[in-house]
Amino acid sequence: MSLFDLTTSISSPELTEAEKRQLFIKTLIKEFKSGVAKLSYSALSKFKRSPNAFINYKMKSFETTDSMILGKLVHALVLEPDTINASFYTDEEMVKEIGGASPRSTKAYKEWKANQLEIYPEKELVSYGVFLQAKRMAKAVLSNRAAKHILSQIHQTEHKIEFEHDGIKFTSFLDGLGEIILDLKICTDADPRKFQRDIIYNNYHIQAGVYTTAVGEVLPYYIIAVDRECEVSVHHLMEDLVMKGISIFEKLVTEFKQCLDKENFDESFDYRAYTEEGVYKMDVPPYLN
């Protein structure tokens, strides 16, 4: 049974939630061991939190949110503007035609939307407000002095790389590749001091390690950060930080393989605890002395 076939099986009312989860885990382990399943950085970052978080991520039904669409739009506008018309469309004209305080809650809008989804199944419907926000953010990136310098050094965008590390297969999508590796991030606050804390907190240095491993050589690694206030900052992850990310990535792959062998995917934070019982010990912290 593949994970594709499993979708139907775990929806069976005859199975309890616990049974569905165990069936999913067993199938997932089988597919990784056979080399069918592949890891992404996003999935590996969940495993870094805990095996339980990884399974929750893999089982989750993803729904597209406005924030996700905003991110896709900004990426497309900055990196692949020629794809916009083929990939997105807005509801501007329909909203204006309906009018009123809440046009999207009307029957007319819902019927129009359902019809559009049938006509353009390959496109994403974007609210006009989100589209305008994305255009402002993209313009801020494209007009930023530092960002323009970095963007001029990439030759491929949305570049897919499939690779294998220590017997585990990976799929990575690089925002930009050329003389450098580029990652474009939509963030809460692009203030350099705040975003550099986010780089560590959100494990972007590990992502740099994964992408550098995928490329197969250590290229200068840059992150362009843009927030909803259209503030932009550009960050060069120095080689020592990227190498640290590679080291953590390699350790995580080793842990992931051990988890596959021991089938410990039900464990939470006890997976990396200090004792065999899964308990964390805490002494008097220095700041209380």
Side-chain angles (χ1 to χ4, degrees):
M1 181 183 296
S2 68
L3 287 177
F4 180 79
D5 298 326
L6 185 61
T7 303
T8 302
S9 297
I10 64 175
S11 63
S12 171
E14 298 175 1
L15 297 176
T16 66
E17 291 302 315
E19 289 171 336
K20 292 176 185 177
R21 186 181 182 85
Q22 288 306 310
L23 179 58
F24 184 92
I25 291 173
K26 288 185 179 298
T27 304
L28 188 66
I29 290 172
K30 181 180 178 181
E31 294 218 338
F32 271 110
K33 287 186 174 181
S34 66
V36 174
K38 298 175 183 177
L39 271 180
S40 64
Y41 159 72
S42 297
L44 189 65
S45 68
K46 296 299 181 182
F47 177 75
K48 182 179 183 297
R49 177 174 172 83
S50 76
N52 179 65
F54 170 77
I55 295 300
N56 289 342
Y57 173 81
K58 296 296 287 185
M59 292 188 72
K60 183 179 179 181
S61 297
F62 288 95
E63 295 182 2
T64 303
T65 64
D66 279 351
S67 292
M68 292 169 65
I69 292 176
L70 177 67
K72 288 183 181 179
L73 262 174
V74 173
H75 275 74
L77 287 163
V78 171
L79 301 172
E80 297 183 322
D82 293 340
T83 68
I84 293 297
N85 291 336
S87 302
F88 303 94
Y89 64 101
T90 77
D91 59 3
E92 177 189 14
E93 292 183 4
M94 192 61 188
V95 167
K96 286 182 178 179
E97 181 181 322
I98 295 173
S102 303
R104 293 185 181 87
S105 63
T106 63
K107 180 181 178 182
Y109 181 88
K110 292 175 182 177
E111 290 177 348
W112 171 84
K113 181 178 178 180
N115 186 49
Q116 295 300 300
L117 293 175
E118 289 185 7
I119 298 174
Y120 304 112
E122 74 286 355
K123 292 188 179 185
E124 281 200 83
L125 174 60
V126 183
S127 73
Y128 190 57
V130 171
F131 184 70
L132 290 179
Q133 176 70 56
K135 287 184 69 174
R136 288 192 292 267
M137 292 169 69
K139 182 179 179 181
V141 171
L142 293 170
S143 61
N144 180 271
R145 178 164 53 93
K148 285 193 293 184
H149 173 67
I150 299 307
L151 288 167
S152 69
Q153 299 180 62
I154 62 173
H155 311 310
Q156 301 175 75
T157 57
E158 303 297 343
H159 183 61
K160 179 181 179 180
I161 301 180
E162 295 185 342
F163 68 102
E164 185 174 314
H165 179 77
D166 199 14
I168 300 296
K169 293 182 178 180
F170 286 84
T171 300
S172 294
F173 290 88
L174 280 62
D175 290 338
L177 178 63
E179 302 163 37
I180 64 167
I181 298 173
L182 168 66
D183 196 7
L184 175 60
K185 296 291 188 189
I186 313 303
C187 62
T188 302
D189 192 338
D191 177 278
R193 291 170 298 178
K194 293 181 179 179
F195 186 75
Q196 288 193 355
R197 288 196 294 269
D198 287 344
I199 287 174
I200 303 303
Y201 182 77
N202 293 327
N203 299 313
Y204 294 154
H205 60 306
I206 303 176
Q207 186 174 19
V210 175
Y211 290 175
T212 298
T213 303
V215 171
E217 61 177 314
V218 181
L219 296 174
Y221 193 99
Y222 289 88
I223 298 177
I224 297 176
V226 57
D227 62 30
R228 286 170 174 76
E229 298 298 319
C230 299
E231 296 280 12
V232 179
S233 60
V234 178
H235 307 265
H236 180 190
L237 274 59
M238 304 304 288
E239 187 171 322
D240 283 351
L241 182 56
V242 174
M243 296 305 294
K244 181 64 176 178
I246 292 174
S247 175
I248 298 172
F249 162 63
E250 292 175 343
K251 181 182 177 183
L252 284 171
V253 173
T254 299
E255 287 186 356
F256 185 79
K257 291 180 66 177
Q258 292 171 346
C259 199
L260 286 175
D261 291 337
K262 296 179 180 179
E263 301 188 3
N264 287 341
F265 283 103
D266 276 327
E267 294 193 9
S268 181
F269 293 121
D270 48 336
Y271 182 73
R272 295 187 178 90
Y274 307 134
T275 68
E276 291 184 5
E277 297 80 17
V279 176
Y280 289 83
K281 295 181 179 181
M282 184 174 182
D283 207 337
V284 179
Y287 57 81
L288 289 182
N289 289 328

